Amino acid sequence: MRLSIAAKINFFLLFIFSMVLVFSAAYQAVRERDLILTLIKEQSREQTEAYFDGLNMLMLTGKMEARDTLRSKFMDHAHVEDARIVRGAAVNKQYGPGRETEAPKDRFDALALAGKGSLEVVHDDMHSRLVVTRPLLAKKDFRGTDCTSCHQVPENTVLGAVRFDYSLDTLFTRVEQNILTSALSLTTIFGLGLLLTLWVIRTWIVRPLNQLTRSIEEATDHHDFGKRLEGDEGDEIGRVALAYNQMLDSVERQLGKRADAQAEQDKISQSESTRP
Ligand code: HEC
C-alpha cells in the first residue's frame, strides 16, 4: 500500500477509536437501561403497596365509592401509564361486577388472578413499558387486617390484583441522548487528538526524513558532500542524521586522500617527463 506514515498511523488510530466508541456506547446503553429498570421496579414495588393500602383504607371505612379518586392520584405519578385494580371473581360474586376498568384485560391480568404476579418489560412496535401486577390474597392477618371478615372466601383466595403499567419511552430516550452526547464528546476529543498526532508526526518524523532524503539526493546528483544535517542524539531520526553526517565526513576524507595521491602521482610523472 502506498500510504504515508502519517496516513497509516491515523488509519490505525481511527480503527482503535471506532472500536472504543462502539463498545463504550453499547456498554453504556446496557448499564443505563439496567439501572433505569432497577429503579423503576423499586418504584413499582412501593406504588403497588401504597395503592392497595389506600384501597384497603377505603374498604375499612366503607368509602369504596371514592376509589376512582385514588386511582387517578396514582395515574398522575411520573412514568405511570396506567394504574388499576383487577377484580377477582370472589369479589364480583359478593359485591357485583364493579367498574369497567376493573375487569381483567390481558394475559398479565389473567395470570395475576391465578395468583402469579408479573414484572415484565413489554415492547410493542416503538413503545416499551414495564407491566407490574401484584395479586391480592385474602389473609386472616394482612398487616393487622382480616380480609376474610368481610370477604366470605377461604384464606388465600385471590381477591384481585394491583396492576401498574410504566412507560419506559421517555427514560429510554434519555439514555439514547446520554449516549449520543458522550459519543459526540468522545469524537471531539479524538478529533483533537488526531490533529495533534498529525502535527507531531509531521514535525518530528516526516520533516526530518524529507530533509535527509533531499540531502542524499543532492549529494548523489551534484556530488556535493559539503552540506551537513542538523540533528542531535535526542531521538532515532537525530541519530540517523548524525550518522549520515559522519558518513559524508568519511566520504570527503576518502576523496581528499585520493585527490592528494593523484596530485603526488601527477607531480612524479611530470618531473620524470621534464628530465632530459
Ligand atoms: C371492612 C370490610 C373489608 C375488609 C376487612 C376487606 N375488604 Fe376488600 N372490599 C370490601 C368492600 C366493601 C369492597 C368493595 C365492593 C364494591 O363496592 O365493589 C372490597 C373490594 C375489594 C377488592 C376489589 C377492589 C376494587 O377496586 O374493585 C379487593 C381486591 C379486595 N377488596 C381485597 C381485600 C383484601 C386483600 C383484604 C385484606 C387485606 C380486604 N379486601 C379486606 C370490604 C373489605
Side-chain angles (χ1 to χ4, degrees):
M1 237 199 309
R2 283 177 61 88
L3 281 177
S4 67
I5 294 180
K8 280 177 191 156
I9 291 180
N10 277 339
F11 268 127
F12 184 65
L13 289 179
L14 201 67
F15 173 72
I16 293 179
F17 167 72
S18 322
M19 287 302 192
V20 170
L21 192 69
V22 168
F23 281 111
S24 79
Y27 180 71
Q28 198 186 350
V30 171
R31 279 281 311 272
E32 288 202 12
R33 276 176 177 238
D34 268 2
L35 186 68
I36 281 177
L37 283 178
T38 312
L39 290 177
I40 206 147
K41 279 174 185 172
E42 222 155 86
Q43 177 188 341
S44 80
R45 198 169 34 229
E46 282 165 18
Q47 286 185 335
T48 48
E49 258 177 49
Y51 192 1
F52 179 67
D53 284 344
L55 191 76
N56 204 211
M57 274 309 286
L58 297 180
M59 295 177 207
L60 293 171
T61 51
K63 299 211 175 74
M64 275 300 273
E65 282 315 308
R67 62 186 188 265
D68 300 314
T69 319
L70 185 69
R71 175 168 182 245
S72 66
K73 274 190 197 300
F74 277 96
M75 298 266 280
D76 276 348
H77 284 234
H79 312 300
V80 175
E81 198 173 272
D82 194 15
R84 60 195 166 86
I85 298 291
V86 187
R87 225 165 134 101
V91 180
N92 285 340
K93 205 168 129 203
Q94 191 177 348
Y95 297 102
R99 311 273 193 266
E100 200 235 316
T101 55
E102 291 168 346
K105 295 212 164 56
D106 56 11
R107 69 185 169 97
F108 294 107
D109 293 349
L111 273 176
L113 290 184
K116 210 174 162 308
S118 310
L119 192 63
E120 204 177 306
V121 178
V122 182
H123 306 280
D124 23 54
D125 294 330
M126 297 294 286
H127 181 52
S128 307
R129 65 204 160 100
L130 177 73
V131 176
V132 185
T133 60
R134 172 195 280 251
L136 303 166
L137 306 187
K139 295 278 181 197
K140 286 245 182 262
D141 184 9
F142 183 90
R143 289 194 220 126
T145 309
D146 179 6
C147 309
T148 55
S149 67
C150 301
H151 297 282
Q152 283 138 27
V153 290
E155 209 182 349
N156 291 329
T157 308
V158 182
L159 293 173
V162 186
R163 158 90 184 237
F164 272 82
D165 288 36
Y166 294 92
S167 168
L168 299 175
D169 295 345
T170 45
L171 294 168
F172 283 171
T173 311
R174 220 177 292 162
V175 171
E176 276 157 27
Q177 277 166 351
N178 282 352
I179 292 171
L180 200 69
T181 319
S182 61
L184 281 181
S185 21
L186 268 181
T187 310
T188 314
I189 294 170
F190 176 76
L192 292 176
L194 212 62
L195 287 179
L196 193 70
T197 335
L198 213 61
W199 180 80
V200 165
I201 293 172
R202 258 177 208 224
T203 34
W204 290 344
I205 300 178
V206 175
R207 200 179 299 154
L209 279 181
N210 281 346
Q211 277 170 356
L212 181 65
T213 315
R214 226 175 299 126
S215 172
I216 292 176
E217 279 169 358
E218 262 170 36
T220 44
D221 290 353
H222 309 297
H223 300 286
D224 173 8
F225 304 109
K227 276 213 184 118
R228 294 292 179 270
L229 291 174
E230 277 175 34
D232 54 41
E233 292 273 356
D235 61 20
E236 290 82 346
I237 292 184
R239 284 204 288 280
V240 170
L242 289 183
Y244 173 72
N245 287 348
Q246 281 168 0
M247 189 186 77
L248 287 187
D249 289 346
S250 145
V251 168
E252 271 193 329
R253 240 178 287 129
Q254 290 298 327
L255 285 179
K257 266 192 210 156
R258 218 190 288 167
D260 287 353
Q262 188 72 41
E264 200 81 355
Q265 194 76 39
D266 287 353
K267 230 189 268 170
I268 291 168
S269 54
Q270 219 169 19
S271 60
E272 272 176 358
S273 65
T274 50
R275 215 176 277 165

